[in-house]
Amino acid sequence: EVQLVESGGGSVQAGGSLRLSCTASGFSLDDSDMGWYRQAPGNECELVSSISIDGKTYYGDSAKGRFTIAQDHAKNTVYLRMNSLKPEDTAIYYCAARQYVWGCGLRSAYDYWGQGTQVTVSS
């Protein structure tokens, strides 16, 4: 069974830090691009950060300079370190994976989502 299980959310004061974890089961990070999304009440879902199979990282404007994405292939886990948190970072954070599978010379992609973890930053 494919699963993404997030942890590490919580409540912090502005300026604080959190580290989100997302552990995958049923597939390998070696075959997948990984990402962190977030959705605040009334807002659209936003891509916060991603890391590709070959280790290339992407950060949305809101995350640049404050957040760091990393992965541990041995633990099949991806992390999002969030520093200098602001009240506007308050949202549900979702881990996502796009697994690539090759067959008959063709590549298929499968998307998976975690259940989300709440991050609340108070001023």
Side-chain angles (χ1 to χ4, degrees):
E1 180 186 6
V2 170
Q3 270 193 315
L4 293 172
V5 179
E6 300 115 328
S7 61
S11 297
V12 296
Q13 290 191 326
S17 298
L18 285 173
R19 189 182 76 160
L20 305 183
S21 300
C22 171
T23 299
S25 59
F27 70 101
S28 173
L29 265 57
D30 294 344
D31 304 321
S32 309
D33 295 334
M34 301 296 296
W36 286 96
Y37 290 77
R38 71 184 184 186
Q39 187 168 32
N43 288 6
E44 294 185 353
C45 192
E46 171 191 8
L47 175 61
V48 177
S49 180
S50 65
I51 185 164
S52 66
I53 289 177
D54 56 1
K56 292 180 182 176
T57 58
Y58 163 85
Y59 296 96
D61 288 342
S62 62
K64 288 177 183 175
R66 300 188 299 130
F67 295 1
T68 304
I69 192 169
Q71 54 189 1
D72 184 333
H73 287 269
K75 295 182 178 180
N76 222 32
T77 298
V78 62
Y79 304 96
L80 184 68
R81 177 70 181 182
M82 305 186 293
N83 296 327
S84 303
L85 283 162
K86 306 174 182 179
E88 50 263 44
D89 293 318
T90 295
I92 299 175
Y93 284 71
Y94 297 92
C95 175
R98 174 160 289 179
Q99 180 194 21
Y100 299 99
V101 179
W102 288 90
C104 198
L106 300 174
R107 189 181 77 168
S108 298
Y110 299 89
D111 293 336
Y112 310 118
W113 292 87
Q115 80 285 356
T117 186
Q118 177 71 47
V119 171
T120 302
V121 184
S122 58
S123 57

